[in-house]
Amino acid sequence: MTGNAPNNEQWAELEMAARLAARQAYVPYSKFAVGAAILDGAGKIHIGCNVENASYGLTNCAERTAVYAARANHGIQDVLAVCIYTPTPTPTPPCGACRQVLNEFGPAMRVRAICDGEDLIDTTLEVLLPGAFGPKNLKNAS
Ligand code: THU
């Protein structure tokens, strides 16, 4: 495992930010609110929520919203950690599409999912997306 893990204070801030982000979720269809907070390599936190769409398929998950907003607004280069919050009894892991998008900026990132119950997911993206395709695979293109 490589990369810097957040310290306890940073995890606490990430958890708080993810909880707040979930309040912005636009979920008229699923009613399943998700908040995400990411920690960038400069120590800044960025948030995202899921934003659903009447077409259903164009729904954007909280984790991807966080990554895209952080890149668009702050030009982030690296993501060290992501925290996902759902107001559910059990924690929610990131979906496959979000794992791939997270991998772009932080293949070694820590992943934590929290909820309103006691359960916690505390893992890494390498565990959730083993053998990932990413920027490294495009390095040798001619
Ligand atoms: N969702 C997320 O925001 N993140 C995930 O990783 C899993 C799913 C959202 C998408 C949709 O708005 C709702 O949860 C139900 O799938």
Side-chain angles (χ1 to χ4, degrees):
M1 194 156 51
T2 53
N4 293 324
N7 60 34
N8 287 343
E9 192 183 327
Q10 287 171 317
W11 273 125
E13 286 175 19
L14 282 165
E15 291 186 11
M16 179 72 75
R19 285 176 189 276
L20 287 173
R23 295 194 200 167
Q24 314 283 8
Y26 174 73
V27 289
Y29 310 108
S30 74
K31 318 275 193 228
F32 190 80
V34 185
I38 58 176
L39 179 69
D40 73 22
K44 278 197 163 61
I45 288 177
H46 311 268
I47 60 162
C49 60
N50 49 339
V51 181
E52 298 188 340
N53 188 271
S55 71
Y56 286 39
L58 290 177
T59 289
N60 211 61
C61 291
E63 301 90 320
R64 278 178 284 153
T65 303
V67 169
Y68 297 149
R71 178 66 198 190
N73 290 306
H74 302 279
I76 58 143
Q77 309 264 26
D78 305 294
V79 178
L80 303 181
V82 60
C83 180
I84 301 148
Y85 165 74
T86 49
T88 52
T90 53
T92 304
C95 79
C98 288
R99 293 177 196 199
Q100 183 66 36
V101 169
L102 288 165
N103 181 72
E104 189 72 19
F105 292 102
M109 79 173 68
R110 270 64 175 181
V111 179
R112 183 175 285 190
I114 58 169
C115 63
D116 288 344
E118 295 293 306
D119 279 9
L120 180 83
I121 296 171
D122 216 352
T123 186
T124 66
L125 195 58
E126 282 161 341
V127 168
L128 294 176
L129 193 66
F133 169 79
K136 67 179 187 316
N137 301 108
L138 299 176
K139 288 257 159 64
N140 299 319
S142 52

